[in-house]
Amino acid sequence: MGWFSKLLLPGRLRTGPTALLPVRPDPKTLLAVAQLADPEARTDGDDILAGGSRIQPPVELTGDVLAKLGVPDEDRLWACRIAAEGPLPVDFFDKSLAEGIAYRLGGWSLCQGEPLDPAEDGGDPLVYLPAVPEPEEILPILGGLLGLVEAVDTEQWPEGELVDGVVHVPVRRGRVADVYVGADFVVTVEEGHRMPPAAQTRWPYLTEIAIARVSPVARTEESGGEDAELARAASGDAAGGRAEDVTSADAAPGPPDGGSDTEDAGSGTDAGSDMEDATSRNDAEDEGEAQGALLARAAVALALADGLRGIAADSRGFQLAEPADVLPGGYA
């Protein structure tokens, strides 16, 4: 039985990386998902080899094992453990592989004992490039894609230059080479990245690549900082949530004089139901807005990849063929 035994299984899965899936994946579907991260992924017996990692066949987990793994409110999941073939994969590719599989099949990922729902963070789409593009090469492609800017924010981008509605910031320090800022999106071009499997297949003669990261516009309060620091801040998530507390007294005012206890109870129940419905609608609207923004950034990444002969991928290194590929649960 080996690691399949009930005693060893939770410990082996807890260290991960492991993809926890709601439905047992079809082997062909699992291979197709793996080939998004490594086009040369192939089957090896019951396993799948991808990017120097071995995707082991799914194992059914029931509630008692899931409770030991710290996964709440689930009665049954299917676990695919990812095991490195040799030394740890470059840039922790095995962890990205587990998260990417879970993201596309509507599940969880587990690594070092920490369960994660990858759908909560789609991340920033990427474009793999064989080299850092010259501004004259990339600016005509970006025109109109990032949202037009009328003037340079000299406080945030003191070295920025406005070119056809796009602010170009030549950083050339550290890993960041160039930053391109529009009204809606920021493209940060980084150099000196190791080769992910998808890029290795396309450019086997290269030893490193450049990456263009498509992020939402970040509004920071930093002043006087280095352009490189601002560029890294710009590549972060600019969206922030805000919670508003509502007290029960505000939500459900007391009944008029002479009201019965039954009327009190009914009023409170109705108010609570209304609040739950409003919360559900707000959550759905927030999720819709987040997915719309993610789709828009993916469209920019695909346009860049097409214009610069690069490879569009999501934040975990899985290739994109169309914007909808960036949404969670696409293969579920």
Side-chain angles (χ1 to χ4, degrees):
M1 295 289 290
W3 72 275
F4 289 95
S5 71
K6 289 187 177 180
L7 292 176
L8 296 179
L9 181 58
R12 292 296 300 271
L13 294 179
R14 187 179 293 113
T15 58
T18 301
L20 301 176
L21 309 173
V23 178
R24 181 185 180 95
D26 175 82
K28 292 182 179 179
T29 300
L30 192 58
L31 177 60
V33 172
Q35 287 174 338
L36 296 175
D38 178 8
E40 295 184 349
R42 58 182 178 83
T43 57
D44 182 37
D46 292 333
D47 299 341
I48 294 174
L49 296 180
S53 297
R54 184 176 290 273
I55 305 170
Q56 298 176 347
V59 178
E60 183 179 9
L61 306 182
T62 53
D64 55 340
V65 176
L66 291 172
K68 293 179 181 179
L69 294 176
V71 180
D73 304 325
E74 295 288 349
D75 296 327
R76 183 175 71 167
L77 293 174
W78 296 87
C80 292
R81 186 170 184 269
I82 315 297
E85 280 287 87
L88 284 178
V90 173
D91 294 333
F92 302 101
F93 178 73
D94 55 346
K95 182 175 182 291
S96 297
L97 193 60
E99 291 183 5
I101 291 172
Y103 187 80
R104 277 161 179 74
L105 293 176
W108 298 62
S109 70
L110 185 67
C111 188
Q112 299 300 320
E114 181 180 356
L116 169 72
D117 182 1
E120 293 182 354
D121 181 13
D124 290 332
L126 310 172
V127 181
Y128 298 148
L129 301 168
V132 173
E134 294 297 327
E136 297 79 10
E137 185 180 8
I138 190 174
L139 279 169
I141 301 172
L142 291 176
L145 287 178
L146 306 184
L148 298 180
V149 175
E150 296 181 357
V152 179
D153 182 351
T154 55
E155 182 177 348
Q156 186 172 8
W157 309 106
E159 298 183 13
E161 176 189 8
L162 186 61
V163 182
D164 296 331
V166 176
V167 178
H168 171 222
V169 185
V171 181
R172 306 293 174 178
R173 289 192 292 273
R175 174 163 283 188
V176 177
D178 293 282
V179 179
Y180 299 91
V181 186
D184 303 318
F185 307 111
V186 176
V187 172
T188 306
V189 181
E190 304 169 0
E191 58 186 348
H193 282 269
R194 293 178 178 177
M195 301 289 291
Q200 184 69 56
T201 302
R202 173 79 69 87
W203 305 297
Y205 50 86
L206 296 180
T207 58
E208 62 182 32
I209 61 168
I211 288 180
R213 189 183 309 275
V214 184
S215 311
V217 167
R219 307 188 187 282
T220 67
E221 297 180 357
E222 295 177 315
S223 62
E226 296 291 337
D227 278 345
E229 294 175 354
L230 291 172
R232 293 187 187 282
S235 65
D237 186 5
R242 184 181 66 165
E244 296 180 356
D245 295 330
V246 180
T247 64
S248 57
D250 293 334
D257 293 341
S260 67
D261 292 341
T262 303
E263 291 172 343
D264 289 349
S267 176
T269 302
D270 292 343
S273 177
D274 290 343
M275 289 180 63
E276 291 178 359
D277 291 344
T279 300
S280 298
R281 287 195 298 270
N282 290 337
D283 289 345
E285 290 175 359
D286 290 344
E287 182 179 357
E289 290 178 2
Q291 290 193 354
L294 184 58
L295 283 169
R297 300 203 302 277
V300 173
L302 284 161
L304 269 178
D306 182 61
L308 297 173
R309 297 177 298 281
I311 301 171
D314 67 8
S315 61
R316 299 173 177 91
F318 284 63
Q319 294 181 78
L320 306 176
E322 57 185 35
D325 292 341
V326 80
L327 296 178
Y331 282 73

